[in-house]
Amino acid sequence: MVKLNKIYTRTGDDGTTGLVDGSRLPKHAGRMEAIGAVDEANSALGLAAVALEGSDHAKALFRIQNDLFDLGADLATPAGEGEDFAPSEMVLRIVSAQVEWLEDAIDAANEGLEPLTSFVLPGGTEAAARLHVARAACRRAERSMTAMAAAEPTNPQALAYINRLSDYLFVLARVANDGGKGDVKWIPGANR
């Protein structure tokens, strides 16, 4: 359980930050970039959830925000030599059930949508626009996480989760645009 009585510790004043295992990294390290990008995506999700307040979609976004804290904890826990990324009482990891929940949510949201005949521009309703901002933030988090994964062991389920999340947010933005009827379509070369 987390208990924070004091918000500042001064331990990061030297440009480093602590990980779950007690080790310290420079705040500009690739792992910290990934953790920060996930935090930014989570903040964007909070903004999107406000626009959907009271709906089942807002409840889903609050669930996902909790998962993103799990993801941050996963990224803040370096893998040991040969680790299989299994969670334990002391190690929080993204698991396949979280990825599968997102896949089910994507399928359910996509059921009532007409197939796309064009790329869509990020916009439409305010809720859809906020969801697109969150989607783009998730894509940035994914780029940071894949860069981290190229340099050090990273939970494959964490990578799958962030990839599915941007897909979910894209579909949910279409739902928020009157089931796709209010999607703003891209017109290639329209302003030549």
Side-chain angles (χ1 to χ4, degrees), residues 109-123:
N110 202 40
E111 250 178 36
L113 298 175
E114 292 293 321
L116 284 171
T117 57
S118 172
F119 287 107
V120 296
L121 301 178

Side-chain angles (χ1 to χ4, degrees), residues 177-192:
N177 271 339
D178 192 20
K181 295 179 191 89
D183 285 340
V184 181
K185 303 265 174 46
W186 173 48
I187 304 166
N191 299 314
R192 289 185 185 164

Side-chain angles (χ1 to χ4, degrees), residues 160-180:
Y161 186 90
I162 199 71
N163 186 10
R164 292 309 176 287
L165 180 53
S166 59
D167 294 337
Y168 173 69
L169 295 173
F170 176 79
V171 171
L172 194 56
R174 293 197 65 218
V175 169
N177 271 339
D178 192 20

Side-chain angles (χ1 to χ4, degrees), residues 6-153:
K6 194 171 186 178
I7 300 303
Y8 64 90
T9 63
R10 297 188 176 108
T11 57
D13 291 352
D14 65 354
T16 66
T17 193
L19 298 176
V20 173
D21 66 359
S23 63
R24 297 195 69 78
L25 280 180
K27 291 183 179 184
H28 61 271
R31 180 178 296 275
M32 297 316 304
E33 177 60 34
I35 292 168
V38 168
D39 185 35
E40 288 174 21
N42 204 346
S43 296
L45 272 175
L47 190 61
V50 170
L52 298 167
E53 192 172 346
S55 72
D56 287 340
H57 299 306
K59 290 176 189 165
L61 292 183
F62 292 135
R63 175 191 173 123
I64 292 165
Q65 284 189 289
N66 197 76
D67 283 352
L68 288 178
F69 261 74
D70 290 354
L71 177 57
D74 187 324
L75 296 174
T77 307
E81 190 67 33
E83 183 177 339
D84 64 357
F85 295 101
S88 70
E89 192 173 311
M90 298 303 294
V91 177
L92 192 57
R93 297 288 186 203
I94 293 293
V95 296
S96 62
Q98 289 166 294
V99 177
E100 290 162 9
W101 183 89
L102 272 177
E103 290 172 347
D104 291 343
I106 292 166
D107 292 342
N110 202 40
E111 250 178 36
L113 298 175
E114 292 293 321
L116 284 171
T117 57
S118 172
F119 287 107
V120 296
L121 301 178
T125 65
E126 181 177 352
R130 289 182 185 200
L131 287 161
H132 278 296
V133 168
R135 175 190 56 75
C138 285
R139 284 289 189 216
R140 188 166 98 66
E142 183 179 18
R143 289 189 302 275
S144 295
M145 288 173 60
T146 57
M148 179 184 129
E152 53 190 300

